[in-house]
Amino acid sequence: MKPIQIPRSAKGPGPHFFPGEPAAEQLLSMVLALAAELSVLRERLDTAEQLAAGRGLDLRAEIENYQPTLADRERREAWRVQFLQRLLRGVTDEVPAPAAGGVPPGGPPGPPPAGKTPT
């Protein structure tokens, strides 16, 4: 008998938990992405701490006293930028690029300043 091939990625639209509320859907997607990242990170950190403790190293204390080099800080910042791009992908894909001067087409987001009426 031939083994069943399971697709590696979902096809079609994803589930909608807040129909008609795209902002809520985007927020939920971002929260779930953060939860997934945090879960993996916590598991890996726990594994590293347990492995180090088994070899007599107090990794928690080592981490608290660690002073990153400039290269470490730059590498971390590059990862942070990529992470935020992934996290905010749904939001940034729908936001128009800012016009010259940094103001998006249609003016700045949010309510007008106090005492001003929109034109």
Side-chain angles (χ1 to χ4, degrees):
M1 192 179 334
K2 187 176 178 182
I4 297 173
Q5 293 289 331
I6 298 174
R8 293 190 177 259
S9 61
K11 298 200 188 270
H16 292 283
F17 298 99
F18 301 99
E21 296 289 338
E25 292 284 345
Q26 290 174 339
L27 181 59
L28 179 61
S29 293
M30 290 188 319
V31 168
L32 292 176
L34 282 171
E37 291 281 344
L38 180 60
S39 177
V40 169
L41 178 61
R42 178 65 190 109
E43 188 173 314
R44 291 180 62 88
L45 179 58
D46 182 63
T47 300
E49 288 174 346
Q50 296 302 318
L51 291 171
R55 290 175 173 76
L57 177 63
D58 184 0
L59 189 57
R60 290 180 185 140
E62 293 288 330
I63 290 172
E64 291 299 319
N65 295 320
Y66 178 71
Q67 296 294 318
T69 65
L70 176 60
D72 291 333
R73 291 192 306 269
E74 289 172 346
R75 179 181 45 80
R76 289 175 178 185
E77 180 61 21
W79 179 89
R80 188 176 6 267
V81 166
Q82 290 176 350
F83 172 69
L84 289 173
Q85 287 172 341
R86 285 192 317 271
L87 179 66
L88 298 172
R89 184 175 298 134
V91 175
T92 57
D93 288 349
E94 294 182 11
V95 175
V103 178
K116 302 270 183 169
T117 56
T119 55

